[in-house]
Amino acid sequence: MDSKNQLLYDYIQENSINITDMWLSLRDKQKGSIYSADADPAYEKLLREQNTFTNRTVSAALLDEDTFNENMEEWAITVAESRVDSNTPIFQVLEALSNVRETYWHFVEKFIKSNQSEVTADDVLKWSTIINKAFDKLINKFSEKYYELTTNRLVAQQSLINELGTPVIPIKDHTAVLPLIGNIDTERAQILLEEIPKKCAKENIEHLFIDLSGVAIIDTMVAHQIFSLTKALKLLGVKSTISGISPEVAQTSIQLGLDFRGIETYGKLKHALKRQGENLL
């Protein structure tokens, strides 16, 4: 291990609080940002802890690459999770890391000036390579973790949206209602076609009431998908009853040549339930 590297490492650790203080002093007011100068004191405490971790991680590259890599992995996960949880845009994080680098180098320069008789040009070039490479690796690893976390969150949210968008609600043994609300585009119609038969099979549904009264617009493709859904349910032994069909949807179905003659249709869900059995109400 290079003794000068150790001296620089020790100097950075000894000035850790000063480095963080200087970094925090560079903040300005950014509405709603964790990095804002007037952010909640809890955020400042968090930033202090994480900046100390950042400086320690970068400094580890001066001593041992394996230790740096281990710290970098932990650092990236910690900071990425924190920024995703606080809904901090990645550009704000990268800007903050740029300020961290600038502050870190300010203290490296102070160390060099205070040890001019011992530090050579080769030492400076070596430290420049090590430190800048360490910061670049941190940024890349953070971006990777941030992307993974945000992607996983989006997938989870989309899964929840799909679940809420295909609600099969049991109302009696083997009988359920599928109330559809909002716009149904081709993508949502495809999800209905894929998910509803699975749910009906899982819940042992024998009769499904599909209510379209909350759907304002259904295009030709969606009308065809709903027709396909009733055919798929029929193959599973599930009877379909449709309510809330608007005149526009009825006209679209006729134009498409969709044969709904084998499916009972009603203007309103309550009429469908009453006609199918008084005990359903």
Side-chain angles (χ1 to χ4, degrees):
M1 180 190 303
D2 191 311
S3 60
K4 293 179 185 178
N5 284 15
Q6 182 67 58
L7 288 173
L8 176 57
Y9 175 88
D10 293 340
Y11 177 84
I12 295 296
Q13 301 316 303
E14 291 167 2
N15 285 275
S16 180
I17 295 177
N18 296 330
I19 295 173
T20 299
D21 286 342
M22 182 177 178
W23 174 62
L24 290 174
S25 72
L26 298 176
R27 295 177 300 168
D28 53 15
K29 291 184 179 181
Q30 303 178 58
K31 187 176 181 180
S33 173
I34 189 176
Y35 296 111
S36 179
D38 59 355
D40 189 288
Y43 281 143
E44 179 169 328
K45 181 176 182 295
L46 177 67
L47 291 176
R48 283 186 174 278
E49 294 173 352
Q50 293 182 349
N51 184 251
T52 299
F53 192 7
T54 304
N55 295 330
R56 187 172 68 249
T57 300
V58 172
S59 299
L62 294 166
L63 305 181
D64 179 70
E65 185 174 355
D66 291 337
T67 302
F68 165 75
N69 288 332
E70 291 176 6
N71 289 349
M72 176 180 64
E73 187 74 23
E74 181 183 352
W75 176 90
I77 293 173
T78 300
V79 177
E81 288 179 346
S82 174
R83 298 304 177 271
V84 170
D85 289 342
S86 61
N87 294 315
T88 303
I90 193 169
F91 74 86
Q92 290 186 5
V93 184
L94 298 181
E95 181 180 359
L97 284 172
S98 177
N99 290 336
V100 171
R101 189 196 299 242
E102 179 182 337
T103 306
Y104 189 98
W105 264 109
H106 175 79
F107 280 83
V108 173
E109 290 170 1
K110 287 181 66 175
F111 174 81
I112 293 171
K113 289 178 181 179
S114 62
N115 294 273
Q116 289 183 1
S117 60
E118 300 177 11
V119 176
T120 66
D122 288 341
D123 292 326
V124 175
L125 290 174
K126 178 181 64 177
W127 291 337
S128 176
T129 299
I130 293 173
I131 293 170
N132 286 322
K133 186 177 180 181
F135 270 108
D136 290 343
K137 285 186 174 182
L138 283 187
I139 292 171
N140 289 337
K141 182 58 69 172
F142 165 80
S143 300
E144 176 188 327
K145 297 300 179 182
Y146 189 94
Y147 174 78
E148 289 177 0
L149 290 169
T150 52
T151 300
N152 290 341
R153 175 174 288 190
L154 287 173
V155 169
Q157 289 175 343
Q158 187 60 54
S159 177
L160 177 60
I161 290 171
N162 292 343
E163 181 67 23
L164 294 175
T166 57
V168 175
I169 305 172
I171 57 175
K172 189 181 178 183
D173 290 345
H174 310 303
T175 303
V177 174
L178 171 63
L180 298 177
I181 300 174
N183 293 332
I184 300 181
D185 55 16
T186 304
E187 181 179 356
R188 186 181 177 193
Q190 183 61 37
I191 292 173
L192 290 171
L193 184 58
E194 294 173 356
E195 296 298 324
I196 297 306
K198 295 178 185 177
K199 290 186 176 183
C200 288
K202 181 179 180 181
E203 300 295 331
N204 294 317
I205 301 301
E206 297 176 359
H207 191 172
L208 181 66
F209 290 83
I210 304 173
D211 183 50
L212 303 176
S213 57
V215 180
I217 301 174
I218 298 180
D219 61 19
T220 56
M221 179 64 72
V222 174
H224 191 278
Q225 291 285 58
I226 291 175
F227 177 73
S228 298
L229 172 60
T230 63
K231 302 296 282 185
L233 291 173
K234 185 176 181 180
L235 292 174
L236 294 174
V238 180
K239 179 182 178 182
S240 298
T241 297
I242 299 178
S243 63
I245 293 182
S246 66
E248 291 79 12
V249 174
Q251 185 176 7
T252 297
S253 300
I254 292 173
Q255 291 173 348
L256 287 173
L258 303 179
D259 186 4
F260 282 97
R261 285 179 296 179
I263 302 170
E264 294 182 327
T265 60
Y266 295 87
K268 296 183 178 180
L269 177 61
K270 66 178 182 179
H271 295 157
L273 295 175
K274 180 175 285 189
R275 292 291 297 271
Q276 290 298 319
E278 294 181 0
N279 293 331
L280 293 177
L281 294 177

